[in-house]
Amino acid sequence: MKTFAGYDVFPTAPDALADIGGKVSNLLDNFAAVPLKETFEQLGQTMEEANETLRQLQTLSKSVESLVEKSATQQLPDDLSKVMQQLNLTLETYQANGQIGRPLRENMVSLGRSLNELQPLLRQLREKPNTLIFDSKPRAEVQPKAAK
């Protein structure tokens, strides 16, 4: 125990009530520092923008609804179906066994055969480009005949 000014002093610790008071005071200070006015102004502006967006969505919805109700729009699926059928018919002619595909495939096979047959000539021309002008086989030199 300690004494102070001649009186005995009992050691004490801060009580929970004093601690709660400090915490409440701290909380109120923090709450006072929050910019509520700016926050509410921004919230109001955000709400106005949200309302404008909803009005625009309603206008768009009405426009889409009127577009869907038109008879020309309702005819689109039938027109699209006809276009797809015509496209299928066109593609069938280009397939491997179609009217265009078969002759095209046969021509490609024929071209491949022709190119294979040209390979030896092309190889020879690559090695000796003057083969078309001069003989490729050397000739024996012709000896003039002696006079008799």
Side-chain angles (χ1 to χ4, degrees):
M1 290 218 326
K2 295 183 179 182
T3 60
F4 179 74
Y7 294 103
D8 290 333
V9 177
F10 292 103
T12 60
D15 64 347
L17 189 58
D19 192 35
I20 290 175
K23 289 181 180 179
V24 168
S25 175
N26 231 359
L27 180 65
L28 290 175
D29 289 341
N30 288 338
F31 190 67
V34 173
L36 292 178
K37 181 178 180 183
E38 292 86 9
T39 303
F40 284 122
E41 286 174 356
Q42 289 177 352
L43 181 61
Q45 185 179 6
T46 303
M47 293 300 291
E48 287 176 16
E49 291 173 0
N51 285 337
E52 179 60 28
T53 303
L54 286 174
R55 279 191 287 275
Q56 290 175 357
L57 279 173
Q58 286 174 340
T59 304
L60 178 65
S61 174
K62 289 177 184 176
S63 297
V64 168
E65 186 177 335
S66 67
L67 179 67
V68 168
E69 289 176 356
K70 290 182 180 178
S71 62
T73 306
Q74 293 178 359
Q75 188 180 354
L76 279 175
D78 291 336
D79 293 344
L80 185 60
S81 175
K82 290 175 185 175
V83 167
M84 292 301 292
Q85 289 173 355
Q86 291 173 351
L87 180 62
N88 281 335
L89 291 174
T90 302
L91 290 176
E92 284 177 8
T93 62
Y94 284 97
Q95 289 178 350
N97 293 325
Q99 294 173 351
I100 294 173
R102 185 180 322 111
L104 183 63
R105 184 172 37 102
E106 291 169 359
N107 287 341
M108 293 301 288
V109 168
S110 175
L111 178 64
R113 277 193 223 120
S114 298
L115 288 175
N116 285 336
E117 292 171 4
L118 285 174
Q119 285 298 323
L121 174 64
L122 295 173
R123 192 175 309 114
Q124 184 178 3
L125 285 175
R126 190 178 322 117
E127 292 171 4
K128 295 182 182 180
N130 60 359
T131 301
L132 291 177
I133 300 171
F134 303 108
D135 269 343
S136 62
K137 297 178 186 175
R139 291 191 201 174
E141 285 190 33
V142 179
Q143 296 289 329
K145 293 186 182 181
K148 292 186 186 183

